[in-house]
Amino acid sequence: MNEFTPFSHHLLNIFPDMATSTLPESYRYSCLPLCLIDAVFSMGSRYSVTTRVVEDFCRSKGIDRYRNHSAGSRIIRISELVRLLNPNNTDQESKSVITNRQRTSPRNGILKRDAVYRIASVLEEYKIEDFDEFNSFSDKNRLRDAIRRIPGQKSGVCFDYFCMLAGDTTRIKADRMTRRFVGNFYRRERLATVEETKKAIVSAAEELRHEYENVSPALLDNLIWSHQRAQR
C-alpha cells in the first residue's frame, strides 16, 4: 500500500469502492453535440433538468443517446446542431429541438440554447464536427479562449466539462459542489477556488493511480459530485 496524502486518504475513506468505480453513461454519449448540450445545461442547474433536455433532443431528432456501434445508428454532427439552433432558422424543427428557457446566469445571462449555438459555431469554425476531430485538435487552449469570449463562459468550467464528456479524463468540472467538497476538507470558510480544486483533485488522481489503475481526475470528480449531490 502506498503512503497517501491526507486528501487522498479522505477520498478513499468516503469512496471505499473506488477500485471498481467507473464513469457513468453520460461519458458515452453517441455524438459531440450531446456532450455540448449536457455541458451547457448542467451549469448551475439540477442535473435532472439537463437529462430531460438531452432526452428530448434525442427524441426529437431520432438519434441514439449513447454510443451504439450497430449498423444504422443515428447521430448528428456539429454543423447540423448549428443549423438547427441558428436564430435565423424559422423551421418548426428548429423551434422544437430545445425549448428550455434557462439562462447562463439569472442576471444578464443569455439563453443556454443560444450558448450551445454560439459554442457549436466556434467548433464549426475550427472544422470540428465529431469526437475524432475534437480529440485530435491540438490547440485546445486556443479553442478554450475563443469559447470563453461567449457570455457566461469566462470561467472555462463548462469547456472543461465538455472536454470530459468528449473523452478527456484528465480534466475536472470545478463547479460549486466540487469546490465546496475541497474547501470543506481544508476547513475553508469559503469555496475552494477553481484552481485550488483542480490542483487538489488532479494531484490526488496522480497519487491514487499508483494503487488503482482505473482512477482519473474525471472519475474522482464524478465520485465527489455524486457524493455532494446526495447530501442535498
Side-chain angles (χ1 to χ4, degrees), residues 5-60:
T5 59
F7 184 62
S8 294
H9 273 297
H10 180 58
L11 292 173
L12 288 170
N13 287 335
I14 294 179
F15 310 119
D17 298 327
M18 186 181 296
T20 56
S21 297
T22 58
L23 288 167
E25 283 187 312
S26 56
Y27 286 80
R28 294 185 289 278
Y29 278 136
S30 66
C31 53
L32 200 58
L34 298 184
C35 299
L36 179 54
I37 294 169
D38 185 314
V40 171
F41 276 89
S42 68
M43 294 294 115
S45 175
R46 291 187 178 276
Y47 197 63
S48 58
V49 175
T50 305
T51 299
R52 205 155 50 239
V53 172
V54 173
E55 287 177 344
D56 289 348
F57 183 86
C58 290
R59 191 179 303 111
S60 70

Side-chain angles (χ1 to χ4, degrees), residues 24-158:
E25 283 187 312
S26 56
Y27 286 80
R28 294 185 289 278
Y29 278 136
S30 66
C31 53
L32 200 58
L34 298 184
C35 299
L36 179 54
I37 294 169
D38 185 314
V40 171
F41 276 89
S42 68
M43 294 294 115
S45 175
R46 291 187 178 276
Y47 197 63
S48 58
V49 175
T50 305
T51 299
R52 205 155 50 239
V53 172
V54 173
E55 287 177 344
D56 289 348
F57 183 86
C58 290
R59 191 179 303 111
S60 70
K61 292 302 299 172
I63 64 174
D64 295 322
R65 185 176 176 189
Y66 301 117
R67 291 172 201 174
N68 176 7
H69 299 294
S70 63
S73 60
R74 171 88 167 100
I75 63 171
I76 69 167
R77 291 158 64 85
I78 288 294
S79 56
E80 185 170 354
L81 184 65
V82 171
R83 180 188 66 78
L84 284 168
L85 300 185
N86 190 319
N88 296 321
N89 187 343
T90 58
D91 292 350
Q92 186 58 40
E93 180 187 27
S94 174
K95 295 177 181 178
S96 64
V97 286
I98 298 179
T99 58
N100 183 289
R101 304 293 293 176
Q102 281 188 340
R103 292 182 175 271
T104 54
S105 171
R107 187 164 42 180
N108 300 322
I110 63 174
L111 288 174
K112 289 184 175 180
R113 172 190 163 112
D114 188 30
V116 172
Y117 166 70
R118 295 192 195 194
I119 296 172
S121 296
V122 171
L123 294 172
E124 185 182 41
E125 179 183 343
Y126 284 97
K127 303 188 185 309
I128 296 172
E129 290 278 1
D130 54 28
F131 287 120
D132 288 342
E133 290 174 351
F134 179 75
N135 290 315
S136 64
F137 187 80
S138 59
D139 197 350
K140 293 293 197 306
N141 288 337
R142 182 159 58 100
L143 187 61
R144 179 200 61 200
D145 290 344
I147 290 173
R148 286 180 65 188
R149 289 194 286 271
I150 296 169
Q153 303 303 316
K154 186 176 180 180
S155 72
V157 173
C158 180

